[in-house]
Amino acid sequence: MNPLAELKERLVYISVAGTQLLSEDFRLKKVAETFAPLAEKNLVFKKIYADLQKLLSAEKEQQGFLLLNLLGLIDAVLYTQASSGIEGSLEELSETHNLGKPIQIRYSQISPLLQALSTTGSGRMEVLCDTIVNYPYYLQDYRVLHALINDLTDSYTEMAKLVYKLLKALGTGEIISIHDPNDYYISKQYYLPQINPEQLIAQLKQGFDLQGKQAMVKRVSLVANIAKERENEWYFYLLENANKDIRNQAILALGYSKENVPCLMEMLKKEKGKAKEAVYKVLSEFDEPEMISFWIEELKAHPELALYFKFTNSNEIADVIAENFKAELINYLENDNVILAGWKEGLPYKPSDK
């Protein structure tokens, strides 16, 4: 019954979003493809599949009638033949799962934004930017918030970046900076309406795929930016159970708590590749005296690590980098076949006078 339930879910979505999305809903088409083999084995499924094909190919004025008929047939089958349940007592969902709220506006007003976040093609960035500038209260609507989360890995890179920036701003309350819709070369700042950050965090964690790809990595990054050290336990859970890309992002999230320093120091001995680079990056952001001493010795052994200190506020580390680069540069100028090491990578923006 699972394909039937999935089909119903997509049709209910269309009934709410509008039949104009029928031709663009790739998830519905995918469910229809998986339903085809079932139609060959059962007369009821054959009828459902046939009605689905009629709906997908129908004229616009017939789509509403056919959609309701098909939903009625599917409901009848599910209610009479299928059942679902789970052992245990019934518990109410926490309010943190109720992301957003229904905004009292006509669906036709919000439809262009939902289409921009769920389809492909040109003009979608303009729709999202126009919403931020002129209709920011749309962003409180639960349909928009869910669509934003689902669009974190939009096929258009600039759109994906804006969606991430937007969710981060909604969750943290920070100002969002975007290009003026009327002049791309002018950047303006906008305040967004408030949403409950705990609800957003709960939604980002709901249905989290530990073996997922960039969408899940971005979710971890968003949770870390919004919750910071409050989700420290979850970051450690990801370290133990998730794939390497998610683990690397979880390592970066550990940088929000100084209490994680001992653990990170231990990880430095075990991790390799990008995971070890992530540990180094996190440790470079702590400025306690013991960490300064650690880095001075570490930099002498591995000059290439200076790249993590381009923006350091530590005069001690800046002095080490400047002095070693000076000695290295003199050696380079006085001798042939000498290659500059990594000290130069840490030179920009130093507070040191050397």
Side-chain angles (χ1 to χ4, degrees):
M1 290 295 176
N2 192 47
L4 192 60
E6 291 179 1
L7 177 58
K8 179 186 175 181
E9 181 183 348
R10 296 315 306 166
L11 292 176
V12 169
Y13 171 79
I14 292 296
S15 70
V16 176
T19 54
Q20 69 270 19
L21 296 180
L22 265 172
S23 61
E24 301 175 354
D25 193 337
F26 69 91
R27 294 185 180 89
L28 178 60
K29 294 177 181 178
K30 186 175 181 180
V31 173
E33 292 173 2
T34 61
F35 208 84
L38 298 176
E40 300 175 1
K41 299 180 180 181
N42 183 283
L43 290 177
V44 176
F45 287 165
K46 184 176 182 180
K47 168 64 175 170
I48 292 173
Y49 184 68
D51 287 357
L52 176 59
Q53 295 304 312
K54 287 181 184 179
L55 173 62
L56 293 174
S57 60
E59 299 293 331
K60 289 185 178 180
E61 57 271 15
Q62 296 179 310
Q63 289 176 342
F65 173 76
L66 292 173
L67 175 61
L68 291 176
N69 273 353
L70 182 53
L71 272 173
L73 176 58
I74 292 173
D75 277 342
V77 175
L78 286 172
Y79 289 144
T80 57
Q81 302 298 322
S83 64
S84 62
I86 187 170
E87 294 182 2
S89 58
L90 182 64
E91 296 181 8
E92 292 187 10
L93 278 177
S94 166
E95 290 186 3
T96 57
H97 290 277
N98 302 325
L99 179 63
K101 58 185 179 181
I103 302 296
Q104 298 303 314
I105 56 175
R106 294 191 303 274
Y107 180 77
S108 59
Q109 293 175 266
I110 207 171
S111 176
L113 176 58
L114 293 177
Q115 289 189 54
L117 294 170
S118 60
T119 59
T120 58
S122 59
R124 298 182 302 120
M125 278 280 288
E126 288 77 4
V127 172
L128 185 52
C129 288
D130 181 64
T131 300
I132 295 170
V133 175
N134 298 308
Y135 310 100
Y137 62 94
Y138 285 7
L139 301 171
Q140 293 176 298
D141 190 275
Y142 73 97
R143 292 164 294 184
V144 174
L145 289 168
H146 284 276
L148 284 167
I149 292 174
N150 290 333
D151 199 39
L152 272 170
T153 52
D154 194 287
S155 57
Y156 179 39
T157 304
E158 292 303 312
M159 184 75 167
K161 288 180 179 179
L162 180 55
V163 167
Y164 177 92
K165 185 192 300 186
L166 187 51
L167 283 168
K168 180 183 174 186
L170 285 167
T172 60
E174 65 185 30
I175 300 172
I176 186 171
S177 178
I178 63 170
H179 293 292
D180 187 329
N182 300 315
D183 190 339
Y184 182 84
Y185 296 99
I186 298 177
S187 183
K188 292 186 176 180
Q189 295 182 324
Y190 299 91
Y191 287 98
L192 299 179
Q194 291 294 303
I195 68 167
N196 187 324
E198 297 305 320
Q199 290 178 350
L200 179 54
I201 292 168
Q203 193 61 46
L204 288 166
K205 292 171 64 178
Q206 187 172 356
F208 191 89
D209 182 1
L210 294 170
Q211 303 305 318
K213 298 184 179 179
Q214 280 304 304
M216 298 300 120
V217 173
K218 288 187 175 184
R219 287 195 188 196
V220 177
S221 178
L222 281 169
V223 170
N225 275 283
I226 299 168
K228 298 183 170 44
E229 72 278 0
R230 298 197 308 276
E231 289 292 336
N232 206 52
E233 186 176 337
W234 188 58
Y235 308 146
F236 277 108
Y237 172 77
L238 296 178
L239 284 177
E240 294 295 327
N241 299 281
N243 65 28
K244 62 180 182 179
D245 291 332
I246 296 175
R247 284 187 79 253
N248 293 345
Q249 191 63 50
I251 291 172
L252 296 176
L254 294 177
Y256 285 106
S257 175
K258 293 180 180 179
E259 295 179 0
N260 294 328
V261 170
C263 179
L264 288 164
M265 295 294 286
E266 286 299 314
M267 291 174 63
L268 201 56
K269 303 173 184 177
K270 303 174 184 177
E271 299 293 346
K272 298 179 180 179
K274 291 186 177 180
K276 189 166 187 175
E277 291 175 10
V279 177
Y280 271 129
K281 184 177 187 303
V282 173
L283 288 174
S284 69
E285 295 171 359
F286 294 105
D287 56 4
E288 287 73 16
E290 60 271 20
M291 289 306 302
I292 299 296
S293 300
F294 161 79
W295 273 112
I296 288 175
E297 294 303 316
E298 197 74 6
L299 283 167
K300 291 177 181 178
H302 305 284
E304 67 277 8
L305 297 179
L307 64 90
Y308 296 113
F309 293 95
K310 286 185 178 181
F311 304 96
T312 185
N313 291 319
S314 167
N315 282 322
E316 295 95 329
I317 290 181
D319 288 345
V320 169
I321 293 175
E323 289 171 0
N324 280 278
F325 179 72
K326 179 180 178 180
E328 184 182 56
L329 185 60
I330 292 173
N331 187 35
Y332 172 80
L333 294 172
E334 293 179 349
N335 298 280
D336 295 330
N337 302 320
V338 174
I339 300 175
L340 289 174
W343 293 108
K344 63 181 182 298
E345 301 296 336
L347 285 177
Y349 317 115
K350 287 291 167 287
S352 173
D353 294 330
K354 298 188 179 184

